[in-house]
Amino acid sequence: MLRTVQHTIQKHGLLQAGDHVLVAVSGGADSVALAYALHFLWRQHRIPITPAHLSHRIRGRAADQDAAFVSELAWRLGLNCVQGRADVPFVARKRGISLEMAARESRYDFLEQTAREIGANCIATAHTADDQVETVLLKLTRGAGPQGVSGIPYCADRHG
């Protein structure tokens, strides 16, 4: 797995010397694996990483357990962890969007703000093949044509 991550980073030019990476860690297997992989690379290439976790205030006690798990994971890796909270059900009602879309928007808003605050110039998120399929299907349901249907890019500039 580490070779695959390292190869992907090199092939797509995702990280450069001097980068500081904010790593989104939900507590799920995919984001935890990404945190471990980037931690290994950090130790090898001296690229600083900071885990970040956003509680969506959807799952009650389970969400609190996720936050505690991510905090302990960061501590075990010797990393500082940034945690935040968002009232995603409120955001969904206020904006008239689905809970999933409100969670996604809240998460990226939190990650972008946190990156600015700590001086991180990269944000790493873990996406599975299912996430890729979901993205394509979402674009299709919104009426995207052949030119607009794509998965999640390796690198995105949300403000460009």
Side-chain angles (χ1 to χ4, degrees):
M1 180 188 103
L2 289 173
R3 277 194 197 130
T4 301
V5 171
Q6 192 161 23
H7 174 75
T8 300
I9 289 169
Q10 290 170 343
K11 179 180 177 182
H12 298 281
L14 299 177
L15 295 177
Q16 309 300 322
D19 282 346
H20 178 178
V21 183
L22 182 68
V23 185
V25 184
S26 66
D30 51 347
S31 67
V32 170
L34 177 63
Y36 273 111
L38 290 176
H39 180 259
F40 172 80
L41 295 174
W42 166 78
R43 293 185 55 177
Q44 192 175 47
H45 300 287
R46 307 309 298 168
I47 293 174
I49 66 170
T50 302
H53 175 81
L54 179 68
S55 174
H56 296 96
R57 298 184 68 187
I58 296 173
R59 297 175 37 247
R61 187 174 180 159
D64 294 339
Q65 291 170 338
D66 288 343
F69 172 79
V70 172
S71 182
E72 183 174 331
L73 171 69
W75 177 80
R76 288 181 184 273
L77 295 175
L79 302 170
N80 292 324
C81 183
V82 178
Q83 300 226 0
R85 295 175 69 87
D87 190 343
V88 170
F90 174 78
V91 171
R93 286 190 306 274
K94 181 179 174 187
R95 295 184 187 168
I97 57 178
S98 72
L99 204 55
E100 293 80 13
M101 186 60 71
R104 180 179 294 124
E105 289 180 7
S106 296
R107 184 170 46 255
Y108 281 106
D109 289 348
F110 163 72
L111 292 169
E112 289 169 1
Q113 178 182 341
T114 301
R116 282 190 301 273
E117 289 173 1
I118 68 168
N121 62 317
C122 299
I123 300 171
T125 58
H127 295 288
T128 63
D130 286 347
D131 296 328
Q132 293 285 8
V133 171
E134 179 183 295
T135 298
V136 170
L137 291 175
L138 182 62
K139 288 179 179 181
L140 283 172
T141 62
R142 290 185 176 163
Q147 301 297 336
V149 177
S150 62
I152 302 165
Y154 283 103
C155 186
D157 180 2
R158 287 183 27 113
H159 298 292

